[in-house]
DNA sequence: TCTTTTTGGTTCGGTAACGAACTAAAAGAA
DNA sequence: TTCTTTTAGTTCGTTACCGAACCAAAAAGA
């Protein structure tokens, strides 16, 4: 089969869009109907790092700070996280999980595995390593 | 350096976002301030394929038909494309370029080269082939 | 100390994209 | 031919995301 080597950005974008669609389906399957992929990413990040400032969170999820404020505010409205002022810096607000989201931890582990696993279907360990290497190499160009 | 092999979807998404940001900057640099990456993709597609129905166009750019209608309507409003009813099927509307967009053909060729070239910076021919192979393999999983 | 600059966060207006509901034309079944 | 189903496209309400302007606290300079 013929392999095009131009239009690489479009291929990356298409893959992202397909994967994100899959994330949305998985969220719906878990009954988390009103969450978008980015909300899920915030929760997954917080399972790992417990408490993060909005700034650090925005860096982790690769979104602008205004977007992060809005995403977090929605998660607060839905009861998944809470925002508390930091004691040593009055500007900083720390975001952390609630009981509600902690109870979904296993769901998100499963979701993450499903989503990454699907992209990787049929990949050898070497394929995975190689794809990750090339993506990191490309990411370093920005 | 350590190479993580999980979180692949997030890496893909980050790469896409960085590349799209680059596209937006390039569009601004060319004075095409009110165009988003998707508009550019529509024009690039039409340079190649001359006239396309909204349905076929939506497949090419990987967007839903309602989104495609809206993207095209904006391009019409700005004078870059026109929409004409097909003669043999009254439902179909064909989208084609105008003089204005034809005059920008070289700009878009350059933009496309810049954008793909940047992602590929430092890549050997073998790297490029390998990345494209792995992306296609992943895309086949959806 | 007092002033200026930087930094963390929010607000607001605008846009791309979506899904659902809809219209009209074409194709298929009867 | 007439009825039903499929297909192409649009409309509309909603959402994620952004940039710009803004506020307040902290840090840096004077």
């Amino acid at each position: 089969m013929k392999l095009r080597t131009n239009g690489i950005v479009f291929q990356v974008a298409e893959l992202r869009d397909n994967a994100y669609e899959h994330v949305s389906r998985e969220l719906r399957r878990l009954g988390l109907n009103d969450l978008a992929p980015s909300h899920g990413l915030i929760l997954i990040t917080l399972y790992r790092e417990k408490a993060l400032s909005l700034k650090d969170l925005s860096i982790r999820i690769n979104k602008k700070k205004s977007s992060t404020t809005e995403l977090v505010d929605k998660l607060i409205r839905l009861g998944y996280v809470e925002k508390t002022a930091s004691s040593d810096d009055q500007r900083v607000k720390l975001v952390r999980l609630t009981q509600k989201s902690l109870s979904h931890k296993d769901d998100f582990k499963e979701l993450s595995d499903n989503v990454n696993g699907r992209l990787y279907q049929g990949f050898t360990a070497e394929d995975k390593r190689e794809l990750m290497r090339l993506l990191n190499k490309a990411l370093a160009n920005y």
Side-chain angles (χ1 to χ4, degrees), chain A:
Chain A
M1 82 167 159
K2 184 143 173 280
L3 218 53
R4 302 175 13 147
T5 53
N6 64 332
I8 184 68
V9 167
F10 177 64
Q11 295 288 101
V12 171
E14 191 171 350
L15 182 54
R16 184 215 91 127
D17 292 341
N18 289 353
Y20 265 40
E21 223 174 286
H22 185 207
V23 174
S24 299
R25 276 198 304 276
E26 288 287 296
L27 285 167
R28 260 181 274 123
R29 195 177 59 78
L30 294 171
L32 306 166
N33 288 296
D34 29 23
L35 297 192
S38 297
H39 298 120
L41 184 54
I42 288 178
L43 296 180
I44 288 174
T45 303
L46 290 174
Y47 288 127
R48 219 184 313 119
E49 311 213 29
K50 294 156 202 312
L52 282 173
S53 68
L54 278 156
K55 178 192 168 59
D56 287 343
L57 189 54
S58 79
I59 292 170
R60 301 286 192 291
I61 67 172
N62 207 36
K63 296 270 173 294
K64 301 300 169 192
K65 51 184 187 165
S66 63
S67 309
T68 306
T69 293
E70 289 163 4
L71 290 165
V72 166
D73 283 351
K74 173 158 186 181
L75 285 172
I76 291 172
R77 216 178 320 122
L78 297 173
Y80 292 103
V81 303
E82 54 189 18
K83 203 161 51 173
T84 59
S86 162
S87 49
D88 43 315
D89 187 335
Q90 288 304 115
R91 291 171 306 178
V92 174
K93 296 187 183 171
L94 295 171
V95 183
R96 43 169 60 86
L97 298 171
T98 59
Q99 286 309 314
K100 175 168 178 176
S101 48
L102 285 167
S103 75
H104 280 292
K105 183 163 183 174
D106 290 344
D107 287 342
F108 278 98
K109 173 85 178 79
E110 185 194 327
L111 178 150
S112 187
D113 290 348
N114 285 349
V115 164
N116 290 311
R118 167 134 183 203
L119 188 152
Y120 271 153
Q121 233 165 23
F123 276 54
T124 64
E126 174 60 23
D127 280 344
K128 295 184 191 178
R129 219 175 313 127
E130 190 66 359
L131 178 55
M132 191 53 94
R133 179 183 75 82
L134 292 167
L135 287 180
N136 280 330
K137 184 165 181 166
L139 273 167
N141 287 331
Y142 293 92

